[in-house]
Amino acid sequence: MRKVGLLALVLAAACSSADTAVTSPMTTPSTTTSATRATTTTAPTATTGSAPTTTTTTTTTTTLPSVGDVSTRAADGSETVWVPGGTFAMGDDAFAAEAPAHEVTVGGFWIDRTEVSTAAYDTCVAAGACRPARVAGDEDLPVTTVSWQDAVDFCTWAGSRLPTEAEWEYAARGPAAFPYPWGAAFDPAAVNFCDVNCTEAWSDEAADDGYAGAAPVGTYPSGASWVGALDMAGNVWEWVADWSGPYSADAVRDPTGPDEGTTRVIRGGAYASDAGGVRASYRFLGGDVRPTSRHPNIGFRCAGP
Ligand SMILES: [Ca+2]
Ligand SMILES: [Ca+2]
């Protein structure tokens, strides 16, 4: 009686972990199941419970991260936050480059909590896997003056990749598709943008975010997006994986953008952008920004496993 129960447990565990297409070993004894039974029948003699080991294994493999989970990337020590998969309205019909708003579904992924810092990037340089930035910056500032390929090289070295444009926008806006990472209305306390310190003609003289140029990564905690990602609005622009191109109205899953192009998309605006330029759906599609460009206001963050 006990042996029959054990065999049933063993077979159930094997069924749940094996490919569903393999049915014959589940219903008829084979060399595989006999060997498994021989192993497990020795263990229960020492304890009254049977087969706790197989049950635990099955539970562990189904655990998934959730919103708010933070992880640390081994290669460079950067923190990443979990973005659960979901669906949102990508784009904004009110702006030509962002129209049409269309339904996009993305699978779950990790994204860097902040822009990649100079300290993190220099870890890769020291390892011989990244080209030095064109202009050296303080360690806590976001690394800039790196090309699109430099960004790809860093993320690859770190065991990650650049986010797609859709992933980036979903991490910034969430299922509710907020205009700004923190919500519906612009908040000058939540972002490094073109404030009173900025010398551009469109500076907001009523706001003081403390910086004319880039601020250290993570300076504005109230600007966190729904997953806890910081500085997705402003500070420095961020390279994403996609070639520049117009949106389609079709609903899509895990879009990766055009197959080819001449410019790569940058996202999020920067310290010289106005309130409209740091909206989470805002797209800068190239202009004079080539993938080889190394601008002082363009950095990046990684996404991936
Ligand atoms: Ca500023
Ligand atoms: Ca940014």
Side-chain angles (χ1 to χ4, degrees):
M1 193 62 184
R2 194 172 171 200
K3 283 190 176 177
V4 171
L6 278 171
L7 179 58
L9 275 170
V10 168
L11 292 179
C15 283
S16 65
S17 61
D19 245 40
T20 52
V22 186
T23 53
S24 58
M26 309 304 169
T27 53
T28 57
S30 68
T31 51
T32 304
T33 52
S34 297
T36 307
R37 181 176 56 174
T39 304
T40 50
T41 44
T42 54
T45 55
T47 58
T48 50
S50 60
T53 308
T54 50
T55 306
T56 301
T57 302
T58 304
T59 304
T60 302
T61 55
T62 56
T63 302
L64 290 172
S66 55
V67 177
D69 281 357
V70 179
S71 181
T72 300
R73 189 163 54 222
D76 62 303
S78 291
E79 286 187 333
T80 60
V81 293
W82 178 249
V83 186
T87 300
F88 76 118
M90 184 175 181
D92 189 326
D93 288 331
F95 303 91
E98 302 158 41
H102 56 292
E103 185 179 298
V104 169
T105 300
V106 295
F109 59 98
W110 294 93
I111 193 163
D112 293 8
R113 199 167 71 86
T114 69
E115 297 143 342
V116 171
S117 70
T118 296
Y121 187 82
D122 283 350
T123 308
C124 180
V125 174
C130 289
R131 176 173 66 162
R134 181 170 58 82
V135 179
D138 292 345
E139 284 200 342
D140 57 354
L141 290 176
V143 68
T144 59
T145 65
V146 289
S147 71
W148 181 86
Q149 187 61 52
D150 291 333
V152 169
D153 289 347
F154 173 87
C155 293
T156 302
W157 167 79
S160 192
R161 57 178 172 76
L162 280 181
T164 65
E165 188 175 11
E167 287 173 336
W168 192 98
E169 186 167 322
Y170 188 59
R173 306 181 70 190
F178 288 134
Y180 293 98
W182 54 83
F186 181 70
D187 177 1
V191 54
N192 179 14
F193 76 123
C194 192
D195 65 329
V196 67
N197 300 294
C198 172
T199 56
E200 303 293 349
W202 52 85
S203 66
D204 183 344
E205 299 296 310
D208 185 354
D209 60 44
Y211 292 88
V217 300
T219 293
Y220 306 90
S222 66
S225 81
W226 67 296
V227 294
L230 299 171
D231 299 320
M232 297 205 81
N235 209 29
V236 296
W237 290 98
E238 300 173 28
W239 291 114
V240 293
D242 305 36
W243 289 112
S244 299
Y247 288 154
S248 151
D250 298 336
V252 284
R253 182 179 180 91
D254 291 322
T256 54
D259 292 334
E260 56 188 0
T262 54
T263 60
R264 300 279 185 181
V265 183
I266 52 175
R267 284 304 206 106
Y271 50 76
S273 301
D274 63 13
V278 298
R279 288 178 302 103
S281 59
Y282 187 84
R283 317 173 73 203
F284 189 85
L285 299 177
D288 60 345
V289 178
R290 299 273 160 178
T292 53
S293 299
R294 295 201 280 173
H295 280 261
N297 62 356
I298 303 177
F300 66 100
R301 76 181 72 211
C302 307

